[in-house]
């Protein structure tokens, strides 16, 4: 077991890895650690700024939909949610080493969730064992009884939802964030391992006699509040990475020893690769054949979330990021530092990253195929050999990628566990 991944696990894979070189422009001048650290902070600001701006677009679409609910407006809001996931999922490469992110991310990307906390669910729905909030249904209840304690939920606002988030210390009680909004836009996916996402009717937000499933006014208030909280949270994080702002996280990061920051960068890439993406998001779902453990389980957007997690990791190593407007941000990178110390190790690391992205593209291509698409929840079905092969290939590449990071860190004398935390 490597030192880099204290919470990782041993993955079994049997496919042969096929690597190919990645065509990257080679810098003409040498870079130093400080330049890499500064550009890493620039990448963070760009990614979180894009996450914020895309969340604001989501808010605009939701507001328009709620003013005059119809199917077209619901689909537009759903597409805006999917677009908002693109930068956010890439930003997760900044987790696992930056405390400002690690202490905050649970507010907006916690999963899996007990959706019965928020709204109506199917009769055969089961909440997490022992979760007192699993069937509270905030939308349907203006007064919430928690073992005799009465919570006034007559007004759905940010204070109420933030207070109920992770109620009772349970991570399944997700009241805010991307997945709460996803559930409110799609509803439960009742298709199991068959093709199809959640099918919430737009009339769940209609007022008056056309309202379905009751409490449409409170459901609209919940959705409007949840997206407002998301924008607020992302605005906070964008400012933490902004340049020339005294006292923000970026200024604190740049004041650290460069060796510590480089360790945090390696730790983040490795932990997202193997512990989170490979372990929590793929291996657990595959072994349990559980749609409840699918990351974007209401929308069937999981293949894209995984793809952009992989791209975010590659971005950080290569020091590049393509913004939502198409602009490409590029600068001094870990790859530059490693290549200066050991070109062969840098080449192998880039090859490992390319192999992972190729495997993740197979996943997204399979899910988006025009004929017989196979979404993530179908791939993890028991007995689906094709799904097991696709996901096992990704796991194998994530393992190889993680080991490549260890070698790359060693090449520049960085201990990824020496994060100063």
């Amino acid at each position: 077991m490597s030192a880099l991944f204290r919470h990782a696990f041993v993955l079994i894979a049997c496919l042969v890895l096929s690597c190919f070189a990645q065509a990257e422009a080679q810098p003409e001048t040498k870079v130093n650690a400080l330049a890499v650290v500064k550009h890493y902070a620039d990448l963070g600001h760009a990614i979180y700024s894009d996450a914020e701006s895309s969340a604001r677009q989501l808010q605009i679409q939701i507001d328009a939909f709620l003013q005059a609910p119809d199917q077209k407006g619901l689909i537009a809001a759903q597409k805006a949610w999917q677009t908002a996931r693109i930068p956010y999922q890439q930003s997760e490469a900044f987790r696992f080493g930056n405390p400002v992110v690690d202490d905050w991310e649970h507010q907006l990307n916690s999963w899996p969730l007990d959706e019965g906390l928020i709204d109506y669910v199917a009769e055969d729905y089961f909440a997490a064992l022992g979760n007192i909030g699993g069937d509270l249904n905030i939308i349907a209840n203006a007064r919430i009884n928690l073992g005799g304690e009465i919570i006034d939920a007559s007004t759905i606002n940010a204070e109420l939802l933030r207070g109920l988030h992770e109620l009772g210390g349970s991570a399944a009680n997700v009241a805010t964030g991307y997945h709460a909004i996803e559930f409110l836009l799609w509803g439960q996916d009742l298709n199991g391992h068959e093709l199809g996402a959640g099918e919430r009717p737009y009339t769940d937000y209609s007022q008056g006699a056309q309202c379905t499933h009751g409490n449409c006014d409170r459901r609209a208030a919940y959705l409007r509040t949840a997206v407002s909280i998301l924008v607020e949270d992302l605005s906070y994080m964008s400012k933490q990475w902004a340049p020339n702002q005294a006292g923000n996280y970026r200024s604190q990061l740049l004041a650290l020893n460069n060796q510590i920051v480089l360790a945090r960068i390696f730790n983040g890439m490795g932990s997202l690769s193997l512990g989170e993406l490979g372990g929590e998001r793929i291996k657990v779902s595959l072994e349990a054949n559980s749609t409840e453990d699918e990351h974007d389980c209401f929308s069937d957007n999981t293949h894209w979330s995984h793809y952009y997690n992989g791209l975010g990791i590659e971005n950080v190593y290569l020091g590049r990021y393509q913004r939502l407007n198409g602009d490409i941000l590029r600068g001094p990178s870990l790859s530059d530092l490693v290549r200066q110390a050991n070109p062969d190790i840098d080449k192998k690391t880039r090859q490992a990253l390319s192999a992972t992205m190729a495997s993740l593209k197979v996943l997204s291509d399979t899910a988006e195929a025009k004929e017989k698409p196979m979404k993530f929840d179908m791939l993890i079905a028991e007995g689906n050999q094709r799904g097991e092969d696709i996901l096992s290939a990704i796991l194998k590449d994530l393992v190889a990628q993680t080991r490549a990071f260890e070698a790359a860190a060693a090449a520049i004398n960085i201990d990824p566990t020496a994060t100063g935390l």
Side-chain angles (χ1 to χ4, degrees), residues 134-316:
D135 58 357
L136 286 182
N137 195 341
I138 298 168
I139 286 174
N141 294 286
R143 287 165 51 89
I144 295 175
N145 188 335
L146 282 178
E149 177 188 358
I150 303 300
I151 296 176
D152 180 3
S154 56
T155 300
I156 296 179
N157 55 27
E159 181 181 4
L160 175 71
L161 298 190
R162 287 193 186 278
L164 292 174
H165 187 67
E166 298 186 346
L167 177 68
S170 173
N173 289 328
V174 177
T176 64
Y178 286 102
H179 298 296
I181 296 170
E182 179 192 8
F183 171 56
L184 289 167
L185 291 177
W186 273 271
Q188 283 183 289
D189 181 354
L190 302 177
N191 300 290
H193 293 296
E194 301 298 323
L195 183 63
E199 299 176 355
R200 183 183 289 279
Y202 75 85
T203 50
D204 274 6
Y205 293 94
S206 297
Q207 303 303 309
Q210 292 187 337
C211 170
T212 51
H213 300 103
N215 305 294
C216 288
D217 55 341
R218 288 177 58 82
R219 189 171 296 110
Y222 197 122
L223 179 56
R224 187 177 288 112
T225 302
V227 74
S228 176
I229 292 172
L230 182 70
V231 169
E232 182 178 321
D233 286 344
L234 288 166
S235 176
Y236 165 80
M237 189 51 61
S238 177
K239 291 174 182 173
Q240 292 301 312
W241 292 86
N244 304 317
Q245 292 198 16
N248 69 356
Y249 180 72
R250 177 195 180 103
S251 66
Q252 298 168 18
L253 189 75
L254 296 183
L256 292 174
N257 181 292
N258 292 328
Q259 300 294 98
I260 290 177
V261 181
L262 294 179
R264 291 185 181 187
I265 299 173
F266 273 112
N267 203 348
M269 293 191 304
S271 296
L272 178 59
S273 290
L274 199 53
E276 187 67 22
L277 178 57
E280 297 292 334
R281 299 183 182 181
I282 295 179
K283 192 170 189 291
V284 169
S285 300
L286 181 60
E287 290 194 339
N289 309 119
S290 170
T291 57
E292 285 299 312
D293 290 309
E294 181 189 10
H295 194 53
D296 296 349
C297 67
F298 307 115
S299 61
D300 277 353
N301 188 63
T302 301
H303 53 289
W304 285 124
S305 283
H306 291 352
Y307 178 88
Y308 286 111
N309 267 174
L311 185 60
I313 296 166
E314 188 180 56
N315 288 340
V316 169

Side-chain angles (χ1 to χ4, degrees), residues 327-396:
D327 291 348
I328 295 178
L329 180 63
R330 190 190 300 273
S333 65
L334 286 177
S335 176
D336 294 334
L337 284 180
V338 175
R339 186 179 60 256
Q340 290 168 183
N342 190 319
D344 184 57
I345 288 179
D346 174 59
K347 180 180 178 181
K348 289 179 179 177
T349 304
R350 288 186 286 112
Q351 287 175 333
L353 285 161
S354 293
T356 299
M357 290 310 301
S359 293
L360 288 168
K361 188 173 186 305
V362 172
L363 173 66
S364 59
D365 286 349
T366 301
E368 294 293 329
K370 292 183 179 179
E371 295 186 5
K372 298 182 179 179
M374 198 172 288
K375 305 295 186 182
F376 187 87
D377 53 7
M378 303 166 72
L379 295 174
I380 61 175
E382 185 176 6
N384 186 334
Q385 189 59 51
R386 183 184 176 197
E388 184 174 344
D389 290 346
I390 291 172
L391 297 174
S392 294
I394 296 172
L395 293 175
K396 182 175 184 289

